[in-house]
Amino acid sequence: MQKPIKIMKPAFILSLLFIVSFSASAKVRLPALVGDHMVLQRDVKLNIWGWADKNEVVQVLFLNQKLTAKADIKGRWKIELKPIAAGGPFTLTVKGKNTIVLEDVMVGDVWLCGGQSNMGWKLSWGVDNHQQEIAAANYPNIRLYKVKEILSYSLKDDVETNQGWQHCSPATVADFSAVAYFFGRELYRQYNVPIGLLSSNWGGTPAEAWMSPEALKKLPAYKNALQELQSLSRSGLQERFDRRLKEWSQKNIAKDKGFGEQKWHEVDLNDNNWKKISLPGLWEYSVLPDYDGSVWFRKEVVVDQQHAGKPASLMLGRPDDMDSTWFNGVLIGGKQGRSLREYTIPSTLLRAGKNIIATRIVDFGGDGGIEGKHDEMHLKVGDTVIPLQGDWMYRSGDDGDYTAGWPPNAPDENASELTVLYNSMIAPLTNFGLKGVIFYQGEANVNRAEDYLPLFTGLIEDWRAQWQQKIPFIFAQLSTVLSPPVKPEESKWALLREAQLKTLSAVDNAAMAVTIDIGSKDVHPRNKQDVGKRLAIAARKVAYGEDIVHSGPVYQSMKIEGDKIRLSFNHTGSGLMVKDKYGYLKGFAIAGEDKKFVWAKAALDGNTVVVWSDDVKEPIAVRYGWAANPDDVNLYNKEGLPASPFRTDVHSK
């Protein structure tokens, strides 16, 4: 006879669930960074850490080392391994109430690769010769790790990643940082030891997002803002965003003529006096060079009677940076970022005959317009596709007098907020041993270039404090952007580069790779090979101690000699040289007491440069490469490394 089924009481069920969940949580767990195929830093004490049940004893076995630790009250544990020479592959075992076996572990050199979009720029994103570079990227002892882009207003104990550690191969490198890959490839070829490239970067982000609260508290320019941020609750963050968005929206449309007495999205607007532009395309390279602000586009589309009154979809390419789009005078969509736009058109809007599409594109800096392929611009009704590429009418909305700046981001999307990337993408990495850091950032701080020197030196000191190690710090100076100036100009980009140059005097165990000669109008130059190579040359000197010339010429001093100025340099290597078919030095400007700079002539004289102009009889100062895009700079040392842009007027007061 079958026994009757016993009904469990609710309290017993809860107890059982508690036991099951408690047992599950008690399993030894490792951070996302510690896994199969990882590279551990050679010749230093190594941390292996994770989580377990409170007071659980955890054992780590690696090569001939067998160490134990007990988890603390919060379940955290950490074990310190003795230094290990380069080699592998090895197996690492972690034992607690469960056992974790990590395979294919290498020991070599680990580099943290940080910054914003020029560091994050993927190899597949149109990097020079990228197809051949990807196809040739068979380096199984170079390991790649990409930290997922996540922000946090509080400290996180672990990072997130989609793939974990991967062997460098054509299948994996295409979506990895091009600069980091070319840097790691140079080091691997030079030293033939396993290389771990730890990529943690986020496009468009300022330095202050990558710093700890402790570091920012030391900087007067950020102290009050940090205190305000730390005092805000979740609802307070949202209220602040709502207020800022309202203020930005009012400022954004205040000077736009398209929102004047007659709105430029209206159907009956007479646009006969507007000009034509071919879309998709960027206005920066055609009709409106170096224009930042709003531009309105209009196009007439004829629809036949059989399609009238039916729902449709509008595909509008990839606007840069933000669009607002109307169909027959009705707003149908708008978005920020370069993603593909596809908007639904209600059936009530589609008419037989003439229909008007109007879109307002706002460019906050750099390129502006509509990117994309021709087939990414069309109107689709049922199975009928009406192409929209080709001529559109356009008119600028604010004549380049754009003052609203970038729109604020919602709290969960604000990667520019103080500390939010340090909390989630740097702090959880600080137990992991490093050989050094390469860093490519600064574009997002250009508008506050005067604050960058203490900010950047503070970031370097902060990361070294968090790792408790004076790690070598190698960084790229900003490249060119926008169009070359017609005459000498003041430049925030030049000021930012100067702050980067001054950083070398403010911190030691650091080096800078100059990139001023490999850029273009685009803020994202596609020659990432030379950036990686120059960072590697600097690393060979600073991190590996090689006796090599690792820097291009750096301005040292000046001497006025009548109507000329003689300049002396450090890091001249085996001698100064001019990269020019006819031997002419370019990129120099000179000024007298009136401080009005004019283009100058310059010539090499041994390891010095003599600068003069027939228009300046009593010169007092010289500038070199002092512009957002000084496209003709050509002073190098004979090792082929370019001179950093500089000015003498800050030294000669």
Side-chain angles (χ1 to χ4, degrees), residues 610-624:
V610 179
V611 186
W612 73 97
S613 169
D614 295 338
D615 297 325
V616 180
K617 301 303 181 184
E618 296 181 358
I620 66 166
V622 168
R623 292 179 176 181
Y624 172 73

Side-chain angles (χ1 to χ4, degrees), residues 442-443 445-450 452-453 477-482 485 488-502 512 516 587 623-630 633 644-647 649-650:
E443 298 92 339
N445 289 92
V446 161
N447 288 332
R448 294 169 284 116
E450 60 278 1
Y452 195 70
L453 178 59
Q477 192 182 51
L478 294 189
S479 185
T480 56
V481 68
L482 305 176
E489 64 179 9
E490 297 299 326
S491 170
K492 288 184 176 293
W493 287 85
L495 284 173
L496 198 291
R497 294 187 197 107
E498 181 181 64
Q500 292 175 313
L501 178 61
K502 288 183 175 180
M512 180 179 74
I516 199 69
R623 292 179 176 181
Y624 172 73
W626 196 262
N629 184 0
V633 289
S644 170
F646 66 90
R647 57 175 174 168
D649 33 314
V650 293

